[in-house]
Amino acid sequence: MSTDWKSMENKYYMFAARRQPIVLVRGEGTKLWDENGKEYLDFIAGWAVNNLGHCHPVIVEAVAQQARRLMQTSNQFYTIPQLQLAQLLVENSCLDKVFFCNSGAEANEGAVKLARKYGKMYRNNAYEIITALNSFHGRTLAMVSATGQPHYQDTYLPIPEGFVNVAYNDIDAIRAATTEKTVAVMLEVIQGEGGVNLPSPGYVKQVRRWCDEEGLLLILDEVQTGLGRLGSLFGYQLFDAEPDIMTLAKALGGGVPIGALLAKEKASVFAPGDHGSTFGGNALTCAAAYASTKFIIDHDIPAHARQMGDYLKGKLKTMQSNHEFIRDVRGMGLLIAVEFNSDMAASVVSFCNEGGLLLNPVRPNAIRIMPPLIVSPEDIDKALDILEMGLTKAARGRAS
Ligand SMILES: *Cc1c(COP(=O)(O)O)cnc(C)c1O
């Protein structure tokens, strides 16, 4: 290979992420290829984005056709893909209205603005939002405030006020943090980036009940869990608790950048001029998102994700019983973490990469597994063989 991409990165690109030494050039389904033609099974899926895998023909075709017809207008005009996507999301969720933007952080910013306006209108100017420790809501200044992880906040102090981070899975912590200033509680149904942390039984429902009793809005950040990842179209459906506001991004566009903010009628309080986005909901991204979401719904991809998730988790549990250093296997659908009893995740991931399997070291002692939802049992078997090899090598390294 003539070009040294790594030194080009050193020279021109901000060093904001430490990368694996792999230059990816092509993807198809669950597979990716690097510049040398080496093949990888992708069990990161672009951060739980490529739910239909890489370059799914339905999405490729929608993008190509829309690109030829109309990509971007101003939001002073109606465009058709935006309205079709809005209808599809509303008809398949408990929410009534949609606003489109470009990312998860931006969707959550919109949710917070919506809640604050609601607080001004109906709750005597209440503005505070209770969020959970170990959550992840994005990288804008307000969202690092919302994100209950100090290492995302400390470099950027002062950060916006109006967020209270409390323990996850602790309804009493939410009760205790609620004051006359509180307007909403914002949670992920499963904390993804925080380590695939599951809610304890009844927690989401208890939070819903508390919000009802206190007149607070429940905001569910489904940026990672939405669109089938957990084995249902939206995560809230598994916990018997409807949000007043829900945010989506990641998998929504099947690979193109789009986010969405959805709300029940009573919380849809924006008036003209209150919020906006230049690119938000443009024809190109909405056409891609419509094609991807329609395919997910029509082919019941969530059911396949559930089956494949059960299969994968079952095999991982067997692996756990064979390796004393695996402390926990947890997750729902195809969002799964394997936790170790030491900080061996980086080493496991690096051996697996060499073996042709891409994984994410979500914590120093845990890996996150989130393949495309169209993954097959054969893909899973192959991935597990590579993982077994990676675990053995990493454990050997740890012992010496
Ligand atoms: C990834 C993620 C975000 C941020 O999304 P971006 O598109 O990176 O801004 C927000 N919330 C959750 C739960 C996420 O997983």
Side-chain angles (χ1 to χ4, degrees):
M1 207 64 212
S2 52
T3 312
D4 183 351
W5 302 110
K6 189 162 185 294
S7 36
M8 204 161 147
E9 200 238 19
N10 285 343
K11 182 149 187 237
Y12 296 112
Y13 205 80
M14 290 193 194
F15 189 44
R18 205 174 293 283
R19 304 183 204 256
Q20 303 290 338
I22 298 172
V23 181
L24 295 169
V25 295
R26 190 166 76 83
E28 191 183 318
T30 53
K31 298 191 177 74
L32 284 165
W33 288 270
D34 72 13
E35 56 176 343
N36 305 314
K38 177 170 170 173
E39 184 178 299
Y40 301 86
L41 265 173
D42 182 10
F43 276 37
I44 301 176
W47 299 127
V49 165
N50 306 103
N51 278 8
L52 295 182
H54 294 278
C55 301
H56 191 287
V58 157
I59 300 170
V60 171
E61 198 45 43
V63 169
Q65 274 192 24
Q66 192 61 47
R68 269 186 239 114
R69 189 183 299 270
L70 179 69
M71 289 195 245
Q72 162 80 11
T73 64
S74 91
N75 61 12
Q76 291 182 76
F77 306 102
Y78 299 92
T79 52
I80 297 166
Q82 180 183 93
L83 300 172
Q84 289 174 328
L85 178 60
Q87 179 184 33
L88 186 67
L89 291 173
V90 167
E91 287 184 347
N92 287 282
S93 73
C94 66
L95 291 312
D96 300 311
K97 292 280 165 66
V98 182
F99 179 87
F100 292 121
C101 55
N102 306 289
S103 69
E106 195 186 349
N108 288 335
E109 290 270 347
V112 167
K113 286 172 77 175
L114 199 58
R116 285 194 180 185
K117 178 152 190 207
Y118 182 90
K120 275 216 162 43
M121 291 170 71
Y122 301 122
R123 302 236 343 132
N124 198 24
N125 294 319
Y127 61 89
E128 217 163 64
I129 303 203
I130 299 172
T131 68
L133 292 170
N134 287 317
S135 60
F136 185 77
H137 298 296
R139 305 289 205 133
T140 59
L141 277 175
M143 285 311 111
V144 301
S145 276
T147 293
Q149 302 193 51
H151 71 103
Y152 285 122
Q153 304 176 342
D154 295 344
T155 314
Y156 301 109
L157 299 172
I159 50 177
E161 290 173 49
F163 298 92
V164 189
N165 310 143
V166 306
Y168 183 61
N169 274 338
D170 183 350
I171 184 66
D172 290 331
I174 290 179
R175 290 197 178 108
T178 303
T179 68
E180 74 285 350
K181 287 188 285 183
T182 311
V183 71
V185 177
M186 178 156 89
L187 294 174
E188 298 153 88
V189 287
I190 289 183
Q191 295 185 327
E193 199 273 348
V196 189
N197 307 316
L198 271 63
S200 48
Y203 174 66
V204 182
K205 236 179 139 167
Q206 284 172 327
V207 177
R208 175 69 273 177
R209 203 171 308 130
W210 178 249
C211 288
D212 288 337
E213 283 168 30
E214 296 292 311
L216 308 176
L217 298 174
L218 176 61
I219 304 171
L220 291 183
D221 175 348
E222 294 235 25
V223 167
Q224 186 160 154
T225 52
L227 287 315
R229 176 61 47 190
L230 301 186
S232 61
L233 188 59
F234 303 110
Y236 75 82
Q237 294 163 325
L238 298 167
F239 299 99
D240 197 17
E242 294 189 351
D244 302 298
I245 298 175
M246 174 172 79
T247 54
L248 301 173
K250 292 202 161 88
L252 180 58
V256 306
I258 179 170
L261 162 64
L262 293 93
K264 295 240 179 174
E265 195 65 54
K266 70 158 185 181
S268 299
V269 292
F270 282 153
D274 280 345
H275 194 50
S277 167
T278 297
F279 293 121
N282 86 6
L284 184 72
T285 57
C286 286
Y290 181 84
S292 174
T293 306
K294 186 91 171 62
F295 190 96
I296 287 173
I297 293 168
D298 289 351
H299 294 80
D300 203 358
I301 299 297
H304 182 71
R306 193 161 58 238
Q307 284 165 13
M308 292 300 104
D310 289 347
Y311 179 69
L312 173 55
K313 212 160 69 175
K315 298 235 160 174
L316 289 169
K317 294 253 186 207
T318 307
M319 235 178 220
Q320 180 183 9
S321 54
N322 295 333
H323 294 298
E324 41 68 42
F325 58 82
I326 299 182
R327 184 153 68 191
D328 192 23
V329 173
R330 58 176 179 265
M332 289 181 85
L334 286 169
L335 182 59
I336 299 175
V338 178
E339 188 176 301
F340 310 113
N341 64 9
S342 70
D343 289 353
M344 60 192 278
S347 149
V348 170
V349 164
S350 141
F351 284 122
C352 286
N353 286 350
E354 278 172 36
L357 171 66
L358 305 182
L359 295 169
N360 164 239
V362 66
R363 302 275 100 173
N365 67 345
I367 54 169
R368 179 169 42 165
I369 307 180
M370 42 186 172
L373 307 187
I374 50 141
V375 71
S376 68
E378 294 72 36
D379 289 331
I380 290 175
D381 290 344
K382 188 169 170 206
L384 288 165
D385 285 346
I386 300 171
L387 178 60
E388 181 66 46
M389 175 281 301
L391 289 174
T392 307
K393 285 189 178 168
R396 203 180 295 141
R398 190 185 55 145
S400 63

